[in-house]
Amino acid sequence: MLILAVVQGLTEFLPISSSGHLVLTGKVMCWEDQGLAIDVAVHVGTLFAVALYFWRDIWMMTIGLGRLVTGRGGTQAKVLISVVVGTIPVVIVGFLAKDYVALVLRDVEIIAWTTIGFGILLWVADRVGMTVWRVEHLGVSSALLIGLSQVLALIPGTSRSGITMTSARLLGLERAEAARFSMLLSIPTILGAGLLTGLDIYEEGNMALGADVILAAAMSFVAGLVAIALMMRWLRHAGFGPFVIYRLLLGGLLLYWVYGLGLSESASPFCG
């Protein structure tokens, strides 16, 4: 459970796919599903991590909301609108397709190919994309394009942060700014996913908070905060190369698992 919380925290914001890593960790270690309560806990932990790191942006968007309510605009309102527009596509598609994703797409072979394919796409975008824009420069159409790309993250291995950073780089955002907008988009996305899972728990009538749930939230919070801080510091001075290399190596290992060892998606070389 603690390992899964740390994995969630570290990979939620890095462009390497948290959902893919969670699926793989469970399969490699032959663990049963950790349960809905733990799912909510790790989502809450990572939500608090990104909210703490980007508290200034959240405050700025709160001011923007007030300006919109009073019929005014400004930079704060523009950023808020961009985040809302960028979130709408994944909310709609995620709500309609979440059962299909859970049943069909959580497959090692799919994760392997998406890990490699979208890793290469991230590298291309980082190479060809200009570095001239900040989040405040985004228009509604650009925010919508990034939001539409986020829908692809419903496929495990794609990486929500990775695909949104890829799209943002293709649109000309600076590396750190691409990551910043991706993190701001993660706030309503993580909140929505957590609420949906929390609703499932409520319908099951199991709302108890045990020590393991609280510890899972704390571990994912710490891991998420560390991951965000290190990534943002790195991207202010360098590119996405290390993340791309990691994705290619991981994808290659997974392909060897599936094709070289001839193991099915439900098998693991570590299982007895």
Side-chain angles (χ1 to χ4, degrees), residues 89-128:
V90 76
V91 170
I92 296 174
V93 178
F95 178 77
L96 296 175
K98 66 184 182 75
D99 292 335
Y100 175 80
V101 171
L103 293 174
V104 178
L105 298 181
R106 297 171 71 86
D107 180 282
V108 173
E109 185 176 2
I110 292 175
I111 294 171
W113 286 114
T114 52
T115 296
I116 294 173
F118 287 105
I120 294 173
L121 186 59
L122 175 61
W123 180 81
V124 172
D126 195 37
R127 290 290 181 178
V128 304

Side-chain angles (χ1 to χ4, degrees), residues 44-233:
V44 169
T46 52
L47 179 62
F48 275 110
V50 70
L52 177 61
Y53 190 89
F54 290 98
W55 69 268
R56 291 181 180 86
D57 290 279
I58 295 174
W59 176 245
M60 180 180 69
M61 289 189 291
T62 303
I63 295 174
L65 178 60
R67 295 181 67 87
L68 286 174
V69 170
T70 56
R72 295 177 293 170
T75 300
Q76 301 94 333
K78 187 176 181 181
V79 172
L80 174 63
I81 291 172
S82 295
V83 171
V84 171
V85 170
T87 302
I88 291 173
V90 76
V91 170
I92 296 174
V93 178
F95 178 77
L96 296 175
K98 66 184 182 75
D99 292 335
Y100 175 80
V101 171
L103 293 174
V104 178
L105 298 181
R106 297 171 71 86
D107 180 282
V108 173
E109 185 176 2
I110 292 175
I111 294 171
W113 286 114
T114 52
T115 296
I116 294 173
F118 287 105
I120 294 173
L121 186 59
L122 175 61
W123 180 81
V124 172
D126 195 37
R127 290 290 181 178
V128 304
M130 297 185 295
T131 55
V132 295
W133 304 116
R134 291 176 54 83
V135 171
E136 289 78 7
H137 299 141
L138 280 175
V140 172
S141 59
S142 296
L144 181 59
L145 287 174
I146 296 174
L148 288 171
S149 72
Q150 190 174 206
V151 172
L152 295 172
L154 295 172
I155 306 172
T158 301
S159 172
R160 188 210 60 80
S161 59
I163 194 62
T164 51
M165 291 180 201
T166 297
S167 300
R169 287 291 294 120
L170 286 172
L171 291 170
L173 267 72
E174 299 174 8
R175 294 183 178 101
E177 289 296 300
R180 176 187 166 206
F181 188 62
S182 175
M183 298 302 101
L184 294 179
L185 283 179
S186 76
I187 295 173
T189 303
I190 295 173
L191 180 61
L195 288 175
L196 282 176
T197 308
L199 181 61
D200 291 338
I201 293 177
Y202 176 78
E203 291 175 349
E204 290 181 357
N206 182 17
M207 299 295 292
L209 292 178
D212 56 340
V213 173
I214 297 173
L215 187 57
M219 294 294 290
S220 64
F221 167 77
V222 173
L225 193 59
V226 170
I228 295 172
L230 292 178
M231 180 183 67
M232 295 301 296
R233 182 175 181 179

